[in-house]
Amino acid sequence: MATKTITLEIDAYEMLRSAKRSDRESFSEVVRRARWDDAASTGPGVLARLLKLRRRHPESFLSDDVLDRMEDRARTRPARAVTVADADRS
């Protein structure tokens, strides 16, 4: 069977490893039974992911000023979930 080699960050590797049901279960088996949620995104959720990305990669393309404005706006507006289907309609 053909294989592919991938690179994972340590936290992702630990999540994958902890999802194994036994020492005999392969990572391929873990991935095959994984479920990928299409969870709705909210402004604060997106902002949190952007801030986490910025901490990991300071050379990020968003300036502190832009992130600060987004954070202020997320605090002052009510949360509203947006799904991929909603975004496709716009």
Side-chain angles (χ1 to χ4, degrees), residues 11-87:
D11 62 328
Y13 169 78
E14 292 301 333
M15 289 173 64
L16 185 61
R17 188 174 62 90
S18 68
K20 288 177 72 173
R21 292 181 175 158
S22 73
D23 289 339
R24 295 185 58 174
E25 185 176 34
S26 70
F27 286 139
S28 293
E29 291 168 309
V30 174
V31 170
R32 283 187 192 108
R33 66 179 169 78
R35 297 291 173 255
W36 315 104
D37 292 337
D38 286 334
S41 295
T42 61
V46 170
L47 178 62
R49 288 191 294 277
L50 286 171
L51 292 170
K52 184 177 179 180
L53 177 65
R54 183 150 178 93
R55 279 194 299 276
R56 276 205 222 149
H57 306 282
E59 72 282 1
S60 177
F61 56 91
L62 294 175
S63 69
D64 289 339
D65 182 53
V66 169
L67 290 174
D68 288 343
R69 288 193 321 251
M70 289 172 68
E71 188 171 32
D72 289 342
R73 190 164 186 150
R75 263 188 258 134
T76 60
R77 296 190 117 191
R80 182 176 78 82
V82 177
T83 65
V84 173
D86 293 335

Side-chain angles (χ1 to χ4, degrees), residues 1-19:
M1 177 182 292
T3 62
K4 288 277 187 182
T5 300
I6 62 171
T7 302
L8 297 174
E9 292 181 11
I10 297 297
D11 62 328
Y13 169 78
E14 292 301 333
M15 289 173 64
L16 185 61
R17 188 174 62 90
S18 68

